[in-house]
Amino acid sequence: MYRYKNGLLPESFTDIFLLNSEIHPYNIRNKNSLRLPYYRTNLRKFSLRFEGPKLFNSLSPEIQNVTSFTQFISELKTYFLVKIQ
């Protein structure tokens, strides 16, 4: 999700995920969050298309807006280690 949000993925992945700001032309509260797709069944709700943005949106903005990918991985590891304890 970090790579998608920062444009680091190949062109073929650009239409898989959407930001809320790409859907709504006006300012909304969560305009920088990834949009969760609507799925009718639980089978689809456990897919990467749903769980990836859901997990990324649950992270704090400090972790989401880190400048480099290696720093993002480091922050993510410490976040999960603190959360487990």
Side-chain angles (χ1 to χ4, degrees):
M1 299 299 109
Y2 175 84
R3 287 183 177 180
Y4 171 77
K5 198 167 181 183
N6 291 305
L8 301 173
L9 287 177
E11 291 292 323
S12 59
F13 291 100
T14 56
D15 61 343
I16 292 179
F17 305 108
L18 292 172
L19 292 173
N20 282 333
S21 61
E22 296 171 0
I23 301 293
H24 302 290
Y26 44 85
N27 285 332
I28 59 173
R29 184 179 312 147
N30 296 321
K31 70 178 181 179
N32 294 325
S33 296
L34 292 165
R35 183 167 179 80
L36 295 176
Y38 172 74
Y39 290 126
R40 193 175 49 87
T41 62
N42 278 339
L43 183 65
R44 292 283 183 142
K45 285 186 179 178
F46 291 111
S47 68
L48 177 66
R49 271 192 152 166
F50 187 83
E51 286 294 324
K54 181 179 166 187
L55 177 65
F56 191 77
N57 289 341
S58 70
L59 297 174
S60 67
E62 291 83 23
I63 296 174
Q64 288 182 11
N65 298 326
V66 173
T67 56
S68 72
F69 184 68
T70 54
Q71 186 179 2
F72 173 74
I73 295 297
S74 174
E75 293 285 331
L76 197 60
K77 285 180 183 177
T78 56
Y79 172 76
F80 282 123
L81 286 174
V82 169
K83 192 172 183 178
I84 290 173
Q85 295 175 354

